[in-house]
Amino acid sequence: MSDDPKDGLWTRHSVEETRKIYADWAEAYDADVAAWGYATPQRIAMALRQSGANPDKPVLDFGGGTGLSGLALKAVGCAQIDGTDISPEMLAKAEARGIYQHLWESDPGDMGHVKRGHYPIIVATGVISLGAAPPKTLDMLIDIVPSGGFLAFSFNEATLADRDYTDRLDIAVLAADIELVFEEEGPHLPAKNMTSAVYILRRT
C-alpha cells in the first residue's frame, strides 16, 4: 500500500488495512470528498423521506465516518441520530459536529448492544462496499430492522460490479417480509465520474 490512504480504496482489504486507511485519512477526509462532489449522503437522506420514513424516529448511522451522513440526515429533519464506526479517528470528527446523541466504536461484523427494534431507521452510506464492509454486513443490518422499519444503503460502481454484493441483495429481497421500496443510480463522486446506487429496504 502506498503512503496515500486513498490509493486502492475500491479493492478488497483486511479489517486492519481498512482501519489504517481511515485512521490515516480522517484529517483530510471531508475536504477530499467535498472536492470530489460526494453526493451519496444527500441522495440517501432524500430517498428515505421519499420512501415514507418518519424523521421523528431514532436513526442509526452505521459506519458513519466523520458524520457527513449524519449531516445529510439532519438536513432532512432527522433529530435523533446515533452513530457507530470502526475507526476512532473518524468518530472523533463525527463527535465534533455535535449532531449525534450517542457515538461508539464498533467491532467489524458485530452489532454489539443493538438489537432488532432499537432503531426504526438504519443508514449505511457507502459502508457495505468493496474496500469497506463485506457483503454479509447487509444480512446483519437487515436482521435488526424492525417491522415497519427501513434500511438505507448504497453500492458504488465497484461494488455493483461485484456479484458477491449484488447477489446478497437479490437474495435479501426474496424474503417475504423485506420489500425494496427505492432503487436509483445517480452521482456518487462526480469529479471522479463515479456513480452509486441507492437502495431503501423496508420490513413489512
Side-chain angles (χ1 to χ4, degrees), residues 47-48 51 53 120-122 128 138-139 141-143 145-146 148-153 155 168-175 177-183 198-204:
L48 269 170
S51 300
I121 304 170
I122 301 165
I128 311 166
L138 180 60
D139 298 340
L141 294 179
I142 289 173
D143 188 57
V145 175
F150 295 85
L151 170 62
F153 62 100
F155 284 170
R168 192 66 65 121
L169 174 56
D170 290 343
I171 292 168
V173 298
L174 291 175
D177 62 343
I178 296 296
E179 180 183 7
L180 177 60
V181 296
F182 185 96
E183 176 181 4
V198 166
Y199 302 98
I200 311 290
L201 303 183
R202 181 179 179 273
R203 187 181 298 280
T204 58

Side-chain angles (χ1 to χ4, degrees), residues 35-96:
W36 297 342
Y38 189 30
T40 302
Q42 292 80 11
R43 291 178 53 223
I44 283 183
M46 290 300 298
L48 269 170
R49 292 303 307 269
Q50 293 172 28
S51 300
N54 184 346
D56 294 330
K57 298 291 186 180
V59 181
L60 175 62
D61 186 10
F62 178 82
T66 64
L68 295 178
S69 178
L71 281 177
L73 291 164
K74 182 180 179 183
V76 298
C78 296
Q80 302 179 63
I81 310 172
D82 291 349
T84 183
D85 200 276
I86 67 169
S87 168
E89 294 83 3
M90 301 288 273
L91 281 172
K93 298 295 183 182
E95 186 171 15

